[in-house]
Amino acid sequence: LLVDSNGEQALEYLIQQKVIELEAKKQKIEVSEEEIEKEMEKFYEYYGDKEGLTQALEAASYTMDEFKEDLKENITIKKLLEREISIEEEQIKEYFEKNRDSFAQKEQVRARHILVEDKKTADEVKARLDKGEDFEELAKELSTDSATKESGGDLGYFGRGQMAKEFEDVAFSLDVGEISSPVKTEYGYHIIKIEDKKEAKEASYEESKEEIKEILFEQQIQLVYQTWLQNLYNEYEIKNFLTEQGQ
C-alpha cells in the first residue's frame, strides 16, 4: 500500500490543522508575532538562550520556522478553548498549597566554562583570558565539552547538587562576571565564568498565580481537546476517507 500508518497519521494531522484554521477564521482569532515571540522567550530561558534552543531543534531535525508554526497553532488552540475552560481561584490556591515547594526559587547560577584536558593548557587559557581575550570565542576554539562548545561554553542556570562538587563550590563562590582559576574535576580542568545569579526566594502565591493558571489550563486542554476536535469534525462534516477505507 502507498499509504502506510505514517501516511495516515500525516493526513490526520493535516486535517486537524485545516479544521483548526477554519474555526479560527470563523471566530476571527489571530496570533501576532509578539505572541509567538513571548512564547519563544520561555524556550530561550529553558535552553539558556536562542542559540541553545536552535541547537536543540537541530539535534531533533526540526527547523526554527517549523517550531514557530507549531507554537502558532498551539496558541490558536488555546485561544479557541479559552471559552470552553474556566479556572477558578480556589483551584489555583489548592494547587499552590499542594506544590508550594516547586514554586520556591532555589539559589542558582548561570555559568560558562571552558574544559581542557590538563593543567598546563588550563593555565594557558586563563592567561589569554587575563589578557582580555573573549571567553565565548576561546570556548568555541578550545573547549573539549562538545555539548556546550558551540554555544561558547554556556551551561545555562543550575542549582546546587547538579554539577561536580569541585565545580559547584567554585561556581557558587564567584561574583557575576568573575572568571575562575583552573578547577580540576574527573572530566579535566575547567575555567568558569559566572554570567548571572538568582538568589533563593520563598514561594509567593501572587507571583506564582499566573503560572499555576497556565498549568491548570494546559491540563484541562489535554482533557477536553479530543472531544472538542471531534465536535468540530462533525460540524464541518469532515471525513478521512483513507482511514475509513482501512477499517
Side-chain angles (χ1 to χ4, degrees), residues 53-67 70:
L53 173 61
T54 304
Q55 286 171 2
L57 292 175
E58 283 173 359
S61 303
Y62 203 27
T63 69
M64 188 64 83
D65 284 343
E66 287 169 336
F67 184 66
D70 280 352

PDB file of all heavy atoms in Angstrom, residues 53-67 70:
ATOM      1  N   LEU A  53      18.405  26.938  22.083  1.00  0.00           N
ATOM      2  CA  LEU A  53      17.177  26.376  21.510  1.00  0.00           C
ATOM      3  C   LEU A  53      17.421  25.910  20.080  1.00  0.00           C
ATOM      4  O   LEU A  53      17.008  24.815  19.692  1.00  0.00           O
ATOM      5  CB  LEU A  53      16.049  27.410  21.547  1.00  0.00           C
ATOM      6  CG  LEU A  53      14.756  27.014  20.819  1.00  0.00           C
ATOM      7  CD1 LEU A  53      14.132  25.765  21.430  1.00  0.00           C
ATOM      8  CD2 LEU A  53      13.742  28.160  20.838  1.00  0.00           C
ATOM      9  N   THR A  54      18.107  26.748  19.299  1.00  0.00           N
ATOM     10  CA  THR A  54      18.393  26.399  17.901  1.00  0.00           C
ATOM     11  C   THR A  54      19.146  25.071  17.812  1.00  0.00           C
ATOM     12  O   THR A  54      18.828  24.209  16.984  1.00  0.00           O
ATOM     13  CB  THR A  54      19.230  27.518  17.219  1.00  0.00           C
ATOM     14  OG1 THR A  54      18.531  28.753  17.344  1.00  0.00           O
ATOM     15  CG2 THR A  54      19.463  27.223  15.745  1.00  0.00           C
ATOM     16  N   GLN A  55      20.128  24.891  18.684  1.00  0.00           N
ATOM     17  CA  GLN A  55      20.911  23.651  18.682  1.00  0.00           C
ATOM     18  C   GLN A  55      20.055  22.443  19.056  1.00  0.00           C
ATOM     19  O   GLN A  55      20.176  21.374  18.468  1.00  0.00           O
ATOM     20  CB  GLN A  55      22.089  23.777  19.639  1.00  0.00           C
ATOM     21  CG  GLN A  55      23.193  24.670  19.091  1.00  0.00           C
ATOM     22  CD  GLN A  55      24.263  24.969  20.111  1.00  0.00           C
ATOM     23  OE1 GLN A  55      24.229  24.486  21.231  1.00  0.00           O
ATOM     24  NE2 GLN A  55      25.218  25.798  19.744  1.00  0.00           N
ATOM     25  N   ALA A  56      19.163  22.638  20.046  1.00  0.00           N
ATOM     26  CA  ALA A  56      18.275  21.546  20.461  1.00  0.00           C
ATOM     27  C   ALA A  56      17.339  21.160  19.317  1.00  0.00           C
ATOM     28  O   ALA A  56      17.080  19.960  19.089  1.00  0.00           O
ATOM     29  CB  ALA A  56      17.466  21.963  21.687  1.00  0.00           C
ATOM     30  N   LEU A  57      16.845  22.157  18.585  1.00  0.00           N
ATOM     31  CA  LEU A  57      15.955  21.881  17.452  1.00  0.00           C
ATOM     32  C   LEU A  57      16.701  21.157  16.334  1.00  0.00           C
ATOM     33  O   LEU A  57      16.189  20.197  15.751  1.00  0.00           O
ATOM     34  CB  LEU A  57      15.360  23.192  16.915  1.00  0.00           C
ATOM     35  CG  LEU A  57      14.366  23.914  17.825  1.00  0.00           C
ATOM     36  CD1 LEU A  57      13.951  25.245  17.216  1.00  0.00           C
ATOM     37  CD2 LEU A  57      13.138  23.065  18.105  1.00  0.00           C
ATOM     38  N   GLU A  58      17.916  21.611  16.070  1.00  0.00           N
ATOM     39  CA  GLU A  58      18.724  20.964  15.018  1.00  0.00           C
ATOM     40  C   GLU A  58      18.987  19.503  15.353  1.00  0.00           C
ATOM     41  O   GLU A  58      18.946  18.632  14.483  1.00  0.00           O
ATOM     42  CB  GLU A  58      20.051  21.708  14.835  1.00  0.00           C
ATOM     43  CG  GLU A  58      19.900  23.005  14.050  1.00  0.00           C
ATOM     44  CD  GLU A  58      21.178  23.831  14.013  1.00  0.00           C
ATOM     45  OE1 GLU A  58      22.181  23.402  14.619  1.00  0.00           O
ATOM     46  OE2 GLU A  58      21.153  24.913  13.390  1.00  0.00           O
ATOM     47  N   ALA A  59      19.244  19.236  16.643  1.00  0.00           N
ATOM     48  CA  ALA A  59      19.503  17.859  17.088  1.00  0.00           C
ATOM     49  C   ALA A  59      18.269  16.980  16.863  1.00  0.00           C
ATOM     50  O   ALA A  59      18.377  15.771  16.665  1.00  0.00           O
ATOM     51  CB  ALA A  59      19.893  17.846  18.561  1.00  0.00           C
ATOM     52  N   ALA A  60      17.083  17.601  16.879  1.00  0.00           N
ATOM     53  CA  ALA A  60      15.830  16.864  16.668  1.00  0.00           C
ATOM     54  C   ALA A  60      15.357  16.967  15.212  1.00  0.00           C
ATOM     55  O   ALA A  60      14.219  16.608  14.903  1.00  0.00           O
ATOM     56  CB  ALA A  60      14.760  17.401  17.607  1.00  0.00           C
ATOM     57  N   SER A  61      16.235  17.459  14.312  1.00  0.00           N
ATOM     58  CA  SER A  61      15.911  17.645  12.882  1.00  0.00           C
ATOM     59  C   SER A  61      14.647  18.496  12.697  1.00  0.00           C
ATOM     60  O   SER A  61      13.719  18.138  11.967  1.00  0.00           O
ATOM     61  CB  SER A  61      15.727  16.290  12.184  1.00  0.00           C
ATOM     62  OG  SER A  61      16.865  15.505  12.338  1.00  0.00           O
ATOM     63  N   TYR A  62      14.638  19.621  13.373  1.00  0.00           N
ATOM     64  CA  TYR A  62      13.471  20.493  13.433  1.00  0.00           C
ATOM     65  C   TYR A  62      13.955  21.908  13.185  1.00  0.00           C
ATOM     66  O   TYR A  62      14.901  22.357  13.821  1.00  0.00           O
ATOM     67  CB  TYR A  62      12.928  20.354  14.858  1.00  0.00           C
ATOM     68  CG  TYR A  62      11.482  20.684  15.098  1.00  0.00           C
ATOM     69  CD1 TYR A  62      10.509  20.584  14.128  1.00  0.00           C
ATOM     70  CD2 TYR A  62      11.085  21.083  16.385  1.00  0.00           C
ATOM     71  CE1 TYR A  62       9.194  20.882  14.412  1.00  0.00           C
ATOM     72  CE2 TYR A  62       9.764  21.374  16.688  1.00  0.00           C
ATOM     73  CZ  TYR A  62       8.819  21.272  15.686  1.00  0.00           C
ATOM     74  OH  TYR A  62       7.513  21.562  15.971  1.00  0.00           O
ATOM     75  N   THR A  63      13.339  22.632  12.247  1.00  0.00           N
ATOM     76  CA  THR A  63      13.796  23.993  11.979  1.00  0.00           C
ATOM     77  C   THR A  63      13.078  24.992  12.892  1.00  0.00           C
ATOM     78  O   THR A  63      12.001  24.706  13.430  1.00  0.00           O
ATOM     79  CB  THR A  63      13.525  24.404  10.511  1.00  0.00           C
ATOM     80  OG1 THR A  63      12.108  24.532  10.326  1.00  0.00           O
ATOM     81  CG2 THR A  63      14.084  23.395   9.531  1.00  0.00           C
ATOM     82  N   MET A  64      13.660  26.163  13.028  1.00  0.00           N
ATOM     83  CA  MET A  64      13.057  27.220  13.838  1.00  0.00           C
ATOM     84  C   MET A  64      11.700  27.625  13.256  1.00  0.00           C
ATOM     85  O   MET A  64      10.749  27.886  13.993  1.00  0.00           O
ATOM     86  CB  MET A  64      13.997  28.428  13.925  1.00  0.00           C
ATOM     87  CG  MET A  64      13.553  29.501  14.890  1.00  0.00           C
ATOM     88  SD  MET A  64      13.512  28.991  16.622  1.00  0.00           S
ATOM     89  CE  MET A  64      15.224  29.218  17.107  1.00  0.00           C
ATOM     90  N   ASP A  65      11.590  27.667  11.926  1.00  0.00           N
ATOM     91  CA  ASP A  65      10.319  28.035  11.283  1.00  0.00           C
ATOM     92  C   ASP A  65       9.223  27.018  11.590  1.00  0.00           C
ATOM     93  O   ASP A  65       8.073  27.381  11.853  1.00  0.00           O
ATOM     94  CB  ASP A  65      10.496  28.163   9.760  1.00  0.00           C
ATOM     95  CG  ASP A  65      11.211  29.452   9.381  1.00  0.00           C
ATOM     96  OD1 ASP A  65      11.269  30.368  10.235  1.00  0.00           O
ATOM     97  OD2 ASP A  65      11.725  29.543   8.257  1.00  0.00           O
ATOM     98  N   GLU A  66       9.586  25.718  11.554  1.00  0.00           N
ATOM     99  CA  GLU A  66       8.612  24.666  11.886  1.00  0.00           C
ATOM    100  C   GLU A  66       8.161  24.799  13.339  1.00  0.00           C
ATOM    101  O   GLU A  66       6.987  24.639  13.660  1.00  0.00           O
ATOM    102  CB  GLU A  66       9.231  23.284  11.657  1.00  0.00           C
ATOM    103  CG  GLU A  66       9.383  22.919  10.188  1.00  0.00           C
ATOM    104  CD  GLU A  66      10.242  21.675   9.987  1.00  0.00           C
ATOM    105  OE1 GLU A  66      11.073  21.352  10.858  1.00  0.00           O
ATOM    106  OE2 GLU A  66      10.075  21.023   8.932  1.00  0.00           O
ATOM    107  N   PHE A  67       9.131  25.091  14.198  1.00  0.00           N
ATOM    108  CA  PHE A  67       8.842  25.248  15.628  1.00  0.00           C
ATOM    109  C   PHE A  67       7.879  26.414  15.844  1.00  0.00           C
ATOM    110  O   PHE A  67       6.917  26.300  16.603  1.00  0.00           O
ATOM    111  CB  PHE A  67      10.154  25.471  16.383  1.00  0.00           C
ATOM    112  CG  PHE A  67      10.003  25.542  17.872  1.00  0.00           C
ATOM    113  CD1 PHE A  67       9.597  24.435  18.601  1.00  0.00           C
ATOM    114  CD2 PHE A  67      10.274  26.718  18.560  1.00  0.00           C
ATOM    115  CE1 PHE A  67       9.454  24.501  19.983  1.00  0.00           C
ATOM    116  CE2 PHE A  67      10.133  26.794  19.937  1.00  0.00           C
ATOM    117  CZ  PHE A  67       9.720  25.669  20.650  1.00  0.00           C
ATOM    118  N   ASP A  70       4.342  25.500  14.792  1.00  0.00           N
ATOM    119  CA  ASP A  70       3.683  24.663  15.804  1.00  0.00           C
ATOM    120  C   ASP A  70       3.250  25.504  17.009  1.00  0.00           C
ATOM    121  O   ASP A  70       2.176  25.295  17.569  1.00  0.00           O
ATOM    122  CB  ASP A  70       4.614  23.531  16.266  1.00  0.00           C
ATOM    123  CG  ASP A  70       4.627  22.381  15.257  1.00  0.00           C
ATOM    124  OD1 ASP A  70       3.808  22.414  14.322  1.00  0.00           O
ATOM    125  OD2 ASP A  70       5.440  21.459  15.419  1.00  0.00           O
TER     126      ASP A  70
END
